[in-house]
Amino acid sequence: MIANRGEIALRIIRACKELGYLTISIYSEIDKNSLHVKFADESICIGKNDPLDSYLNIHHIMSAAIAKKVDAIHPGYGFLAENLEFVEAIEDLGIIFIGPNSSTLKKISSKTKSKNIAIELDIPIIPGNMESIADFNQVKKHAYEIGFPIQIKSDNGGGGKGIRTVVNPDELSNAYDVVVNESLNSFGKSKVFIEKYIENPKHIEVQILGDKYGKIIDLGIRECSIQIRNQKIIEESPSSFINEALKNKLVNDAITIMKTINYTHAGTVEFLVKDNQYYFLEINPRIQVEHGITELVTGIDIVKEQIKIAFGNHLKINKTDIPINGHAIECRINATDFLNGNEIKDIVLPGGNGVRIDTHIYSGYTIPSMYDALILKLMVHATNRKLAIAKMRIALEQLIINGVNNNIETLYKIMHAKSFVIGNYNTRILENEVTYIGDEFDE
Ligand code: ADP
Ligand code: ADP
Ligand code: MG
């Protein structure tokens, strides 16, 4: 059973089918005409459109799982993918959860818990307070101890939500309220912690796969520095601009921390990198949105591997068998607003050698407003970064989505931003002035 919707549900359905498993989709009322419902072998409506009544409703999902006598549940990303209560409910019923087990999840159920594990392992972390706080006076005390600028972060955050930068102490109280509210609305939890604000870092992450027998390998790194409001919009694999020695250290640390928590399945360890220093950020114990670019450069189907691992297979891949082949880039196409409507009137997809598209939208599809804004993932793969950028520029030109306002033009501009092209960029690229170049490479 696939406990998710959208493009990731389709990705999982395809992997299951290739492995010869029958698939069951769940859906909310508004999703009844979605492709994840059409393409699954069976489907079951689990509630109304509000996620709390459907994709976030453990009781409804478990009832569906029992009714359909499912063997395993894949959670995708977002929704309940990292929810301990959900995983425990699945385990209690003897159903296979396609993700890490509850005892591993418990150890990393908040960002501060994970940071404490990193400290014990001597893995560099961003200076900050080490326990979650539910009280403004504590926030204030820690903020002054650490020194402004700081970040206030939801201890249970994800997707860039529940993070605010505070430069001026006068803004602290307001920022705290905003983070608490956003965190309550998005994750149902209100605790926060404080971190030093790292100026202009790069976001680098390590893709991990681990089986149930203690074997853990990495599938290389991804760079996800191009972000809007702390949410990734462009990712690359590998990263062309980090020092090899630093990369090796950070990959080793990622493996060490995952071994320490007996991690199984696919997971990611995220870091911020600034100059010649790296800092552990968090562990994402699930498949990530941007897993596809790692698949392109390694040739490994990460979702199929997850499923095989869950059914008790040994991980057959060895680190030495994984040459990183060329360069891959992903652009996340998001609906930016629905001011001009939410129905896809027309869609033309690019194609050709080295172009991959993961999407659930089609001509005539209406995008529900209560779910994720991600509508399509456009990925390209070429022998090197320059050729990958050239390919992405053309693919974006030939991607036409009419009917819904989206960010294709922004992404196209970034593919022509001098700083992006020459590799001189960080997570704040879009907050600073950008120089645009033509279709050449400014050489
Ligand atoms: P990735 O780490 O795979 O790049 P994102 O951070 O972009 O993923 O999040 C993907 C989706 O999952 C977004 O819709 C985001 O809001 C959601 N999400 C991420 N982390 C969590 C979490 N801890 N709880 C609930 N939803 C989450
Ligand atoms: P999420 O769970 O939402 O993915 P992360 O902790 O992974 O949250 O952070 C998401 C992004 O927010 C990072 O990639 C980075 O751009 C920014 N960020 C988070 N913490 C800091 C920090 N201490 N200093 C600077 N930027 C940060
Ligand atoms: Mg993150």
Side-chain angles (χ1 to χ4, degrees):
M1 185 164 101
I2 297 100
N4 215 302
R5 65 181 300 284
E7 68 83 22
I8 194 64
L10 295 182
R11 172 73 188 86
I12 299 161
I13 289 171
R14 291 180 181 125
C16 290
K17 290 195 168 199
E18 282 180 45
L19 289 168
Y21 293 117
L22 287 175
T23 51
I24 298 174
S25 279
I26 60 169
Y27 64 97
S28 65
E29 287 170 0
I30 202 168
D31 272 342
K32 67 175 185 298
N33 294 321
S34 294
L35 290 183
H36 78 278
V37 176
K38 287 204 177 95
F39 290 170
D41 298 289
E42 282 183 61
S43 56
I44 179 164
C45 182
I46 49 146
K48 299 200 188 311
N49 307 341
D50 184 337
L52 289 173
D53 195 59
S54 50
Y55 300 105
L56 283 173
N57 192 303
I58 297 176
H59 181 66
H60 291 186
I61 297 175
M62 295 321 295
S63 303
I66 294 166
K68 292 286 181 182
K69 298 193 174 65
V70 308
D71 298 310
I73 297 181
H74 195 308
Y77 55 70
F79 294 126
L80 296 170
E82 304 173 38
N83 187 299
L84 190 59
E85 210 189 312
F86 181 53
V87 177
E88 283 172 345
I90 293 172
E91 287 175 352
D92 285 348
L93 285 174
I95 296 172
I96 294 171
F97 177 67
I98 305 179
N101 62 36
S102 57
S103 75
T104 294
L105 271 185
K106 234 177 242 159
K107 295 179 195 154
I108 53 166
S109 59
S110 70
K111 291 189 197 230
T112 47
K113 273 192 185 173
S114 309
K115 283 181 79 171
N116 280 302
I117 298 173
I119 293 180
E120 276 170 32
L121 297 169
D122 270 335
I123 296 172
I125 54 147
I126 302 168
N129 79 292
M130 286 304 150
E131 66 294 324
S132 50
I133 323 173
D135 161 51
F136 180 65
N137 286 327
Q138 287 289 316
V139 166
K140 204 162 156 186
K141 173 175 159 266
H142 288 296
Y144 277 96
E145 264 167 30
I146 293 155
F148 294 86
I150 53 124
Q151 297 274 85
I152 306 184
K153 294 170 72 169
S154 161
D155 207 12
N156 302 90
K161 292 192 203 96
I163 302 181
R164 284 298 178 282
T165 308
V166 183
V167 181
N168 178 342
D170 294 343
E171 296 158 5
L172 191 63
S173 163
N174 187 32
Y176 174 66
D177 290 343
V178 171
V179 170
V180 167
N181 279 331
E182 204 167 292
S183 184
L184 272 174
N185 287 336
S186 308
F187 316 110
K189 306 233 167 102
S190 61
K191 289 196 173 169
V192 303
F193 68 108
I194 310 291
E195 256 177 10
K196 185 78 193 164
Y197 176 69
I198 309 290
E199 269 168 67
N200 303 332
K202 278 178 165 292
H203 175 116
I204 304 286
E205 59 187 35
V206 185
Q207 176 68 55
I208 299 286
L209 270 184
D211 69 13
K212 293 183 175 171
Y213 313 98
K215 181 169 176 181
I216 290 197
I217 59 166
D218 73 274
L219 302 184
I221 61 170
R222 292 185 286 259
E223 154 129 27
C224 316
S225 301
I226 311 294
Q227 306 181 352
I228 289 183
R229 290 182 293 276
N230 303 312
Q231 164 80 287
K232 303 157 187 167
I233 53 165
I234 297 176
E235 301 100 340
E236 304 182 57
S237 185
S239 168
S240 305
F241 305 104
I242 77 159
N243 160 320
E244 193 65 18
L246 182 129
K247 186 198 104 182
N248 292 337
K249 268 175 49 191
L250 151 172
V251 169
N252 280 337
D253 280 352
I255 292 195
T256 304
I257 194 163
M258 294 303 240
K259 278 200 169 141
T260 305
I261 58 171
N262 301 319
Y263 195 84
T264 59
H265 296 84
T268 304
V269 186
E270 297 189 330
F271 296 90
L272 291 185
V273 175
K274 165 90 194 231
D275 303 326
N276 233 348
Q277 177 63 40
Y278 64 94
Y279 307 90
F280 168 81
L281 195 59
E282 64 162 344
I283 294 170
N284 288 154
R286 56 173 166 87
I287 191 76
Q288 273 193 305
V289 174
E290 60 274 24
H291 71 278
I293 50 173
T294 298
E295 296 183 323
L296 289 173
V297 294
T298 60
I300 292 165
D301 186 318
I302 299 175
V303 178
K304 267 163 64 176
E305 289 304 324
Q306 280 190 296
I307 298 169
K308 288 196 279 186
I309 288 168
F311 281 95
N313 289 14
H314 282 268
L315 184 58
K316 294 218 178 74
I317 312 157
N318 292 313
K319 178 64 190 158
T320 45
D321 306 336
I322 319 170
I324 300 296
N325 177 15
H327 196 90
I329 304 178
E330 170 177 273
C331 282
R332 297 192 193 189
I333 317 296
N334 293 320
T336 44
D337 61 61
F338 296 127
L339 296 175
N340 291 316
N342 63 346
E343 185 189 327
I344 308 287
K345 300 263 186 263
D346 221 353
I347 174 163
V348 179
L349 300 178
N353 184 23
V355 176
R356 167 175 166 180
I357 290 169
D358 283 17
T359 187
H360 57 290
I361 65 169
Y362 54 87
S363 189
Y365 176 73
T366 301
I367 302 169
S369 59
M370 66 290 288
Y371 307 126
D372 207 284
L374 178 70
I375 52 176
L376 184 145
K377 302 193 307 201
L378 176 58
M379 292 166 255
V380 297
H381 182 215
T383 44
N384 59 44
R385 184 172 190 268
K386 198 165 140 179
L387 293 173
I389 292 175
K391 204 183 272 289
M392 184 58 91
R393 288 172 173 174
I394 298 163
L396 285 167
E397 272 168 20
Q398 298 182 354
L399 171 63
I400 301 165
I401 300 175
N402 288 331
V404 175
N405 291 344
N406 59 64
N407 64 343
I408 296 178
E409 201 175 314
T410 307
L411 296 162
Y412 188 72
K413 279 188 174 162
I414 299 168
M415 287 297 138
H416 294 82
K418 186 170 173 181
S419 47
F420 177 74
V421 172
I422 65 174
N424 178 23
Y425 63 96
N426 56 58
T427 54
R428 305 290 140 193
I429 180 173
L430 298 174
E431 288 161 28
N432 299 312
E433 206 169 308
V434 181
T435 307
Y436 295 102
I437 55 175
D439 266 338
E440 75 286 6
F441 284 86
D442 201 42
E443 285 163 334

